[in-house]
Amino acid sequence: MSMSQDSWPPALKDWVSKCLGMMTDLNRAEAQAELKQVIHDAFVSKSLWTTDWSGMQLQSLIPKPMPVVNNLKRKKTNHALEPPTTKKQKKNALKKAEASRTFDPNDRAALDRRAQRFQREHEIERQKNLTSQTANLHLSHHPRYAHTPFDQSAEPEGDPNVVDWDRYTIVGTCTELFKDYLRLTSEPKPEQIRPLPILQQAFEQIKIRFRNRAPYNWICNQLKSLRQDLVVQRIKNEFTAKVYESHARMALENNDMVEYNQCQATLKTLYELGIPGAHNEFTAYRILMLLHGRNRSESNLYVGQLTAQQKEDKAVQHALNVQRALALGNYHRLMRLYEEAPNMSAYIMDHFIPRERARALICITRAYKQIPISFLQNELCLETPEGTHQFLQEYGCAIYTPDAKSVDCNAIDQATLQKTFEQKYRKINIKGAI
């Protein structure tokens, strides 16, 4: 049994990713030490695959219990908000919108200054019920948090939007629509947290500003703040899913893979609770991300768990076709799937298409004596002749026939081409993910 991450079950990787997202400068050292100890104990006891990791909670990431301080009762447009079609149509729409874009430069400067204060999100969420499998780990030196006894008759009425309601659940009283995201360094106070109705209003206003091309730094700042207010109040409902789904799409469009992966991890938990949302859309994204990471075993395992209903979905079918094309080395089919990618799938494919395009170049230049540049441009889904030349130059293949219309494949040094490819794609780095 290997201790390599490659041998970890998917549930453990998801849990580790979640824990990393909850760490702050104040608790990182302690949390990382506890995290390593938990995984080590599970490895020693051979329970890596039998432990219910979704129910595991690190003691160092559990906030201190908070006394009751409030007796209040609990009471498609833009592509990234509701993705309608393809990335190519999105690009065309953005070109038209760019010409009419207006934004107060003073506001932009202020928003950019606030955006500089970005730090990783501190998600503070406690799990009430730990499974019996969790207890099997040797964590006696990390005692679990237990609620102190209290009179059940004095318990305030639970909010149906809060899955794990208890007396320490916060209800915000802040009425400001917009609030900068700040990393929590102390227990949150109700007057600093916005309640659900205010969060819903804020979300609608954020979407309007996103459609009006407000800077992504500001949009991301506000959505992180909104997500934080949802987390500290433990609100898990359909609105919560919409917030994370929208932020994930916006992050994909802006190449922010850190925020995308955090949103995707939370959405997985929300969907498992039965909360409605764009399950199939994000199932497709998850498949594509696994393909990007070249984790074939985990990808096959995840696909094998899909239901018949999921496999009938257009986006999931597209992702499965991408998986099949990659497995067969069918670069022609892969590039056509890239052009036809639904929703935001093309934004994820952007991360591994360059790798597969280079792999296809190796195959083509070995099979032909010469190949028309126009054919190569179309076959490898390159946008312009200039872009095609730059791509060929990058791999030392910009060697043309006398008429300058074709690539002279016989003159290409295949060993150098292969070496350049291996050096460029030997290692992969998916930001924000395990």
Side-chain angles (χ1 to χ4, degrees), residues 202-342:
F203 183 53
E204 292 305 314
Q205 290 300 314
I206 292 170
K207 289 195 294 183
I208 291 173
R209 282 158 175 74
F210 181 78
R211 285 192 289 268
N212 291 335
R213 310 303 302 157
Y216 173 71
N217 279 352
W218 183 83
I219 294 291
C220 185
N221 180 293
Q222 292 300 314
L223 286 173
K224 284 166 65 68
S225 176
L226 197 154
R227 284 162 45 192
Q228 187 178 66
D229 285 359
L230 288 169
V231 168
V232 298
Q233 296 177 96
R234 296 196 239 164
I235 297 174
K236 298 176 183 176
N237 58 10
E238 190 170 357
F239 170 72
T240 308
K242 286 182 178 179
V243 170
Y244 279 89
E245 287 167 354
S246 292
H247 196 179
R249 296 182 188 119
M250 295 178 195
L252 282 177
E253 186 174 316
N254 288 274
N255 197 29
D256 184 355
M257 300 310 291
V258 171
E259 292 302 328
Y260 167 78
N261 280 298
Q262 288 188 4
C263 290
Q264 176 74 294
T266 301
L267 284 170
K268 181 176 182 292
T269 301
L270 295 175
Y271 295 155
E272 289 173 349
L273 290 173
I275 293 173
H279 295 219
N280 291 333
E281 178 190 346
F282 282 85
T283 294
Y285 297 159
R286 186 170 179 81
I287 295 171
L288 293 175
M289 283 298 294
L290 288 171
L291 296 176
H292 169 38
R294 294 185 286 189
N295 193 330
R296 183 173 297 181
S297 59
E298 186 173 339
S299 175
N300 291 338
L301 180 63
Y302 182 71
V303 169
Q305 296 173 344
L306 297 179
T307 65
Q309 180 273 331
Q310 287 176 309
K311 291 179 180 179
E312 292 175 359
D313 179 78
K314 179 182 177 181
V316 175
Q317 285 182 351
H318 173 270
L320 293 176
N321 287 334
V322 171
Q323 182 192 39
R324 190 173 299 110
L326 285 171
L328 296 174
N330 188 343
Y331 61 81
H332 175 80
R333 177 62 175 150
L334 177 64
M335 295 303 166
R336 304 295 76 80
L337 288 168
Y338 180 45
E339 291 181 318
E340 302 163 2

